[in-house]
Amino acid sequence: MTEQPGISIVIASKGRVKLLGELLESIQIARNTYDGSSEVLVIDDSKPQDAERIRAHCEKYDTHTINFGPSVSGKRNLGAREAQYELLLFLDSDCIATSQLLNEHVKPYANSEVGGVAGPLEFVGTDTWFWKAVEKSPFVTSFGLPALLDEVPWAPTANFSIRKGLFTELGGFDESFPNKPGGEDVDLCLRMTKQGWCIACSKEGLVYHSKSTWIPVKDMFRRLWHYGNADCYLTERHADNSMATVPRRLLIYVAMLILLSVCAIFSSWWLLVAFPLWLLLDISLTSILINKFATNKRTNFAQQVAVQLMMLTNEAGYLYRCLRKKKPQFWFLQLVHFDGQMEDIQRNSTINMWSLLIVILLILATTVLIII
């Protein structure tokens, strides 16, 4: 019987004491079902009171804890350096491991061309009104892809393993990425696949992800802003993974605001009132059309409006970071994260363009009436 490789499980944490305790308990069950060697490393920089409780959890579940922070990439890199086994498994602190997680992650490594393994995430918890909007957005797609595909070009570090030697050879996570949700996982995986390594999918290597950390509206919009920032860094580093695309909606909104402002100077200040009305009309009409024609995005009208606002927030983060980095040429590029993404973008862009055209015609007609 072939000896199972050793696995080092690396978890970056800050706060989330209860969730981390539940994760460590679930990992202990998974370790008990695994025939090979394993260890768990928690790299934490919680406040003193939380840190003490986290240390208690770690002692209870045979886990090493290291105080280090605040960089999430830095935490994971440190955990990888301290790891003693040949496979690294990265999990997020708001997840729950299934009992066969380690066994399922190990299986694909029998193929020498496999450098990493991605497992699917299933979101669990209360289905709030806002969550039903979140799950219709494109921002959760990558978490479920390993359940559908045989291999992926990248995977979130919420449930991702990699050969330690390869991780070291690649230089680990790029710590120059933003500390917030920063795209360093995408970057690592793209660097890996460009060297010819495969990221295999373990459909049974399932992890449950708590909805509780995604449901707070303010936190979710902040997360999407940071995702947009990260896409600018990724576009800069992986231009070959980018494609020219139609102007982003937010750019069109800015152009329309400038145009109406100029017209207002030479005509009537009432034209400025047209902008928020146009914005409201466009978002509303886009929501109606997507619910009508994009069958995979259907939800009720108000939730679709929330989806559109989430996407605009993500665009705003991207455009802002491109401006700060003096890369305005990136405004017309779209990073391709996975196969089939551009088809979805093109379909939605067509809907967006029709919505913009209809609303612009309405605004122009109104403008002419005001000027006359």
Side-chain angles (χ1 to χ4, degrees):
M1 182 176 179
T2 305
E3 183 179 354
Q4 296 281 58
I7 302 178
S8 295
I9 303 165
V10 179
I11 305 164
S13 75
K14 184 180 180 69
R16 297 179 178 174
V17 178
K18 182 176 182 295
L19 290 173
L20 180 62
E22 292 171 351
L23 170 60
L24 294 179
E25 181 181 8
S26 69
I27 290 174
Q28 188 63 50
I29 296 171
R31 293 175 72 187
N32 290 339
T33 66
Y34 184 61
D35 291 334
S37 301
S38 64
E39 64 175 347
V40 184
L41 301 98
V42 169
I43 297 82
D44 178 70
D45 69 326
S46 298
K47 295 178 180 179
Q49 185 175 356
D50 287 343
E52 184 176 345
R53 295 167 62 197
I54 285 173
R55 281 193 295 272
H57 284 313
C58 290
E59 290 175 7
K60 180 178 180 181
Y61 296 112
D62 184 27
T63 296
H64 306 289
T65 180
I66 304 172
N67 181 256
F68 181 81
S71 166
V72 176
S73 295
K75 289 178 180 179
R76 290 175 177 145
N77 284 339
L78 176 59
R81 287 195 298 272
E82 295 295 322
Q84 61 177 312
Y85 295 122
E86 58 209 273
L87 295 181
L88 302 172
L89 172 59
F90 295 99
L91 299 175
D92 277 358
S93 60
D94 52 355
C95 293
I96 297 292
T98 50
S99 63
Q100 295 299 313
L101 181 67
L102 304 189
N103 289 310
E104 294 299 331
H105 262 272
V106 163
K107 288 178 182 178
Y109 288 106
N111 183 344
S112 61
E113 295 181 356
V114 171
V117 174
L121 281 88
E122 182 180 323
F123 286 90
V124 294
T126 305
D127 265 343
T128 64
W129 179 93
F130 183 63
W131 173 256
K132 291 178 181 178
V134 171
E135 67 181 358
K136 291 297 183 180
S137 76
F139 305 108
V140 296
T141 302
S142 60
F143 295 100
L145 287 179
L148 305 173
L149 305 175
D150 293 326
E151 61 181 82
V152 288
W154 73 276
T157 42
N159 185 11
F160 173 70
S161 64
I162 184 172
R163 299 180 190 271
K164 182 181 178 181
L166 174 58
F167 183 86
T168 302
E169 178 187 327
L170 292 169
F173 294 107
D174 186 342
E175 296 182 33
S176 68
F177 272 77
N179 185 39
K180 297 298 182 181
E184 71 281 350
D185 47 3
V186 184
D187 170 64
L188 175 74
C189 291
L190 291 180
R191 285 188 279 127
M192 175 180 157
T193 54
K194 285 174 183 177
Q195 288 191 12
W197 290 94
C198 166
I199 300 176
C201 294
S202 173
K203 294 178 173 58
E204 302 301 322
L206 176 67
V207 157
Y208 296 111
H209 192 300
S210 174
K211 295 176 183 176
S212 64
T213 54
W214 281 54
I215 284 175
V217 176
K218 184 178 179 180
D219 290 351
M220 185 61 191
F221 277 91
R222 186 183 294 116
R223 181 192 300 270
L224 297 180
W225 169 272
H226 290 305
Y227 280 171
N229 275 250
D231 272 355
C232 176
Y233 285 83
L234 288 166
T235 301
E236 184 177 37
R237 286 164 172 74
H238 301 282
D240 53 333
N241 281 82
S242 301
M243 292 181 64
T245 186
V246 296
R248 295 170 185 268
R249 289 167 65 194
L250 200 60
L251 281 177
I252 297 175
Y253 290 164
V254 171
M256 181 59 72
L257 178 59
I258 294 171
L259 176 62
L260 290 175
S261 298
V262 171
C263 291
I265 293 173
F266 296 100
S267 180
S268 170
W269 65 271
W270 280 100
L271 287 173
L272 290 178
V273 178
F275 179 73
L277 292 175
W278 175 72
L279 198 65
L280 180 62
L281 278 172
D282 181 61
I283 293 173
S284 299
L285 185 56
T286 297
S287 299
I288 292 169
L289 292 176
I290 285 181
N291 274 344
K292 177 69 175 177
F293 297 108
T295 55
N296 61 326
K297 300 295 182 184
R298 284 185 182 176
T299 183
N300 68 46
F301 171 75
Q303 287 165 340
Q304 189 57 238
V305 169
V307 172
Q308 298 308 308
L309 292 176
M310 282 187 266
M311 295 177 70
L312 288 172
T313 300
N314 180 253
E315 278 193 10
Y318 177 77
L319 298 176
Y320 168 79
R321 184 52 55 185
C322 291
L323 187 62
R324 288 292 302 271
K325 291 179 71 66
K326 300 179 181 178
K327 300 284 185 180
Q329 67 272 25
F330 290 174
W331 289 350
F332 304 96
L333 295 177
Q334 174 69 53
L335 187 72
V336 181
H337 288 91
F338 50 84
D339 292 341
Q341 176 189 355
M342 290 309 297
E343 295 175 10
D344 191 47
I345 288 174
Q346 288 169 352
R347 181 179 63 250
N348 288 334
S349 293
T350 301
I351 293 172
N352 291 337
M353 288 301 103
W354 274 108
S355 175
L356 282 168
L357 178 61
I358 292 169
V359 175
I360 286 173
L361 289 174
L362 288 173
I363 292 297
L364 287 175
T366 304
T367 302
V368 170
L369 289 175
I370 291 174
I371 293 175
I372 294 175

